Amino acid sequence: MNTSRLAGLLLSVLALSCAQNGGPVLVDAEWSLSCPSGGGSNCGSWALDSCIGEGSARAILGEHGQPECGDRIIAICEAVERTGGMEDITLEANVDRNGGSTPRFAFDLSVKINRSDDTVELCNITVTEDEVPYDVGACGEDPPSMEQPCQLSNISTEGNEVVFDLQCESLFSSVTGLALNVGAPGGGPTTIQFANCRGF
């Protein structure tokens, strides 16, 4: 993976599209879950009837604080400068915390960039399904592999939105050791959008 290129794409996209224009963070995150093929990993499970979709379909759509699943949508899109020239970028949408701190359903992209040379030090996707995090492995521009199960592609802007395509193959859970594929219904990448980000 060309980490310098990925860092440049992420920074330019987010800087342009997440200008502070007021209002809550908006999220349009839809994904579908499926079992890994080929027998390389055992399949995790998903709720067949959830508050954000039936079967394998999931969708968190709306703005931060909007009622959803008997709770409220938490939507985060921010960049935070750290000491030593590091910058943390977080894109997250979660729902249904059931009075606790752990959501039943969530999508989370975390990127750590070294601002001295704009290299990506960390890129990680976590998809939480029925309180189980699927979070083992990196993300980047390369096609999904065991070392990097999640691929980010078509990173672009439109208006004040961050838009990228996402496809994960055999994204493992650190809790169960089981894995799920994450993408669009019927296969291939799904499109994730955030707007009204902070700190860029």
Side-chain angles (χ1 to χ4, degrees), residues 30-32 56-57 183-190:
E30 298 183 66
W31 64 94
S32 184
S56 63
T190 189

Side-chain angles (χ1 to χ4, degrees), residues 85-102:
M86 301 302 290
E87 184 171 53
D88 293 341
I89 295 174
T90 301
L91 304 177
E92 180 179 352
N94 71 67
V95 293
D96 197 7
R97 285 164 304 287
N98 202 20
S101 60
T102 303

Side-chain angles (χ1 to χ4, degrees), residues 25 44 125 135 165:
V25 174
I125 297 285
D135 55 355
D165 290 344

Side-chain angles (χ1 to χ4, degrees), residues 109-157:
L109 166 63
S110 299
V111 181
K112 187 180 293 291
I113 296 173
N114 187 332
R115 298 295 287 149
S116 64
D117 57 7
D118 285 342
T119 56
V120 174
E121 302 285 321
L122 173 143
C123 180
N124 194 74
I125 297 285
T126 299
V127 171
T128 302
E129 174 60 29
D130 213 6
E131 294 187 292
V132 176
Y134 291 83
D135 55 355
V136 178
C139 52
E141 291 185 286
D142 294 334
S145 65
M146 288 301 290
E147 296 76 24
Q148 181 206 284
C150 295
Q151 180 182 29
L152 302 175
S153 59
N154 297 322
I155 302 170
S156 64
T157 62

